[in-house]
Amino acid sequence: TMTDLRSLEQTLSDNLPWNKARIKFVARFLLALFSQRTVNLARLAPAFSGSASEAANYKRLQRFLHHFALPYAQVAHFVVRMLGAPGPYLLALDRTNWKIGAVDVNILLLSLVWRDIGFPLIWFVLPHAGNSDTRERITLLTIFIDLFGVPDIQCLLGDREFVGKAWFAFLKTKRIPFQMRLKKDTQVKNGRGQFVPAWRLFTTTRINQVRVIAEARRMWGLELYLSGCQLKHGEWLLLVSAQYSDDPATQYAQRWGIETLFGALKTRGFNLEDTRLTDEARLSRLLALLALAFTWAFLVGHWQATVKELKLKK
């Protein structure tokens, strides 16, 4: 509706230093996205408000994603400001990937976890398939530090992909608190000074009862703190941190916020896989628009829930 459009335009205008034409375009893009629940441009074009034809709208959408120089720092600040989340921030790092034909689309994303949900702050569309490398992770974190500073990092969370000697050394040097999940066969010094697979330190723990080792243990030439237990299905939950924590598992559990985010960006929300874009720069611009859309959708949903309580599904 026109009321929604004006309200969205006003919010964008108040929080982003963009000209009027750009604000209008982005607001219309977001409303089309909400109504169609897909990033597919052919489906968005008919829903684009205004007097232009469907073909003209499709061309405008294409042009925007091809040429618009998106100031990503402004988008990150917009997300944080709109949420009103107080620092220091809980951050989660993760990767999502899918195929478009024979092309791998691979995105490394740093999110702010707030109210159990991840919100996109900084991302890279990786130029390769498979895991991210240390250099890419360090660059991503460095961008966050440049924008917000190390004191604004409460803790960085990541799964078993985000481990490694050089990576942990960088986090320790920068004094960035982290809680990462460890592969069970990672070699760690036990209490007698012998190297053993990490899971062996937790064989005496009960199922699902996390044991926290009070003293730092040597791993990859670094002094790190370990905690863990065996899970119900025989898998191991092993966590590693640069500093001692009383309840590392509860902190790590909040990493699920980024999985919630990926679900909302993909099949449970905006259907990101519907895009035919494979160019890194264009995909990155699309993600910036999704960051704005997701934040706005959350705020409106949160406001609606305060007006009329939502019935939660099982």
Side-chain angles (χ1 to χ4, degrees), residues 77-269:
H77 281 298
F78 173 89
V79 171
V80 171
R81 194 159 50 241
M82 291 304 294
L83 292 175
Y89 307 117
L90 192 62
L91 303 176
L93 185 62
D94 209 350
R95 196 173 54 79
T96 187
N97 60 285
W98 69 92
K99 272 190 176 307
I100 297 176
V103 180
D104 285 285
V105 175
N106 200 8
I107 297 163
L108 179 67
L109 188 143
L110 183 70
S111 74
L112 162 65
V113 180
W114 171 242
R115 296 183 186 271
D116 298 325
I117 297 170
F119 294 86
L121 287 183
I122 301 156
W123 53 87
F124 286 151
V125 178
L126 300 176
H128 56 78
N131 289 359
S132 59
D133 63 34
T134 303
R135 181 181 48 82
E136 288 159 345
R137 294 169 207 162
I138 287 174
T139 306
L140 204 64
L141 247 310
T142 304
I143 292 169
F144 178 89
I145 292 165
D146 288 346
L147 293 179
F148 298 98
V150 171
D152 259 339
I153 303 175
Q154 179 193 325
C155 190
L156 173 67
L157 309 172
D159 68 11
R160 283 168 290 203
E161 177 182 327
F162 302 102
V163 298
K165 182 178 179 176
W167 170 233
F168 284 174
F170 164 78
L171 294 175
K172 273 188 69 106
T173 304
K174 290 285 183 188
R175 297 180 183 279
I176 296 170
F178 63 86
Q179 205 67 252
M180 304 285 176
R181 192 166 174 185
L182 203 57
K183 292 170 184 171
K184 68 172 191 175
D185 53 0
T186 307
Q187 293 294 303
V188 180
K189 270 195 179 175
N190 65 12
R192 295 188 296 280
Q194 303 159 315
F195 277 103
V196 295
W199 66 272
R200 285 199 174 275
L201 303 182
F202 303 97
T203 49
T204 57
T205 55
R206 284 219 202 106
I207 299 291
N208 289 343
Q209 294 291 308
V210 174
R211 177 190 168 211
V212 182
I213 298 174
E215 317 79 37
R217 291 289 162 90
R218 198 93 180 139
M219 189 180 106
W220 293 329
L222 302 167
E223 296 293 321
L224 297 165
Y225 289 87
L226 292 145
S227 55
C229 68
Q230 193 165 23
L231 301 174
K232 207 163 43 181
H233 305 296
E235 218 184 328
W236 290 89
L237 173 68
L238 305 172
L239 301 174
V240 61
S241 177
Q243 64 289 312
Y244 176 82
S245 167
D246 281 335
D247 195 0
T250 301
Q251 196 172 37
Y252 181 76
Q254 294 182 81
R255 192 196 74 80
W256 193 254
I258 198 168
E259 301 292 352
T260 306
L261 166 65
F262 284 149
L265 293 183
K266 292 163 89 174
T267 47
R268 287 204 307 276

Side-chain angles (χ1 to χ4, degrees), residues 254-292:
Q254 294 182 81
R255 192 196 74 80
W256 193 254
I258 198 168
E259 301 292 352
T260 306
L261 166 65
F262 284 149
L265 293 183
K266 292 163 89 174
T267 47
R268 287 204 307 276
F270 296 126
N271 287 292
L272 183 52
E273 300 103 315
D274 287 355
T275 183
R276 308 270 38 98
L277 298 173
T278 53
D279 176 79
E280 290 160 35
R282 291 170 201 175
L283 252 175
S284 209
R285 288 180 196 120
L286 180 60
L287 281 164
L289 291 169
L290 286 178
L292 298 176

Side-chain angles (χ1 to χ4, degrees), residues 47-66:
F48 221 66
S49 59
S51 54
S53 70
E54 202 175 302
N57 282 336
Y58 185 74
K59 283 213 170 85
R60 276 183 76 197
L61 287 162
Q62 278 190 317
R63 267 202 312 275
F64 185 89
L65 291 171
H66 287 203

Side-chain angles (χ1 to χ4, degrees), residues 19-39:
N19 65 42
K20 205 170 175 184
R22 185 172 295 173
I23 293 284
K24 274 183 176 299
F25 178 88
V26 170
R28 283 176 163 77
F29 183 99
L30 298 189
L31 286 186
L33 199 54
F34 295 140
S35 71
Q36 298 305 301
R37 291 187 56 162
T38 178
V39 296

